[in-house]
Amino acid sequence: SYQYWKKVSNQGFFMTLILGPPNFFVTITFNPNWNEVTALNTEPQLTNNSPLIARIFNQKKRCFIDYIKKKKLLEISKVFCGE
């Protein structure tokens, strides 16, 4: 909706004011053929099983962010994850 995107863009502008411009911008995409999806999707004709896809995507995203923080990759001091 318009209100959602207005809110998200305002948050992005505010973060840039507080934290400064980003050095890296990472995007994560989803692959419906991941082993986790094919193993847990009980009905193969459901290629768009939204709750399952959202749960697996969020788990992988969290693992990625935790890995970056734990390994201190790229000397990142602050990691923001937009929802």
Side-chain angles (χ1 to χ4, degrees):
S1 73
Y2 174 78
Q3 291 83 9
Y4 170 77
W5 288 110
K6 178 85 170 159
K7 176 185 167 190
V8 171
S9 65
N10 285 341
Q11 288 174 344
F13 290 128
F14 183 70
M15 282 180 34
T16 302
L17 287 173
I18 300 298
L19 301 174
N23 294 327
F24 296 97
F25 185 83
V26 178
T27 59
I28 302 171
T29 59
F30 182 81
N31 183 352
N33 296 319
W34 280 340
N35 292 335
E36 297 92 333
V37 176
T38 55
L40 295 174
N41 197 0
T42 56
E43 299 181 38
Q45 72 271 18
L46 288 178
T47 57
N48 187 14
N49 187 345
S50 296
L52 174 66
I53 289 171
R55 188 174 74 228
I56 293 172
F57 178 81
N58 285 326
Q59 287 173 346
K60 287 188 174 273
K61 180 180 70 173
R62 176 57 40 209
C63 287
F64 177 69
I65 291 170
D66 290 344
Y67 179 79
I68 289 174
K69 287 180 176 180
K70 183 190 287 184
K71 297 291 184 176
K72 296 187 173 144
L73 296 178
L74 309 172
E75 299 297 321
I76 295 175
S77 60
K78 295 180 180 146
V79 175
F80 172 77
C81 178
E83 296 291 329

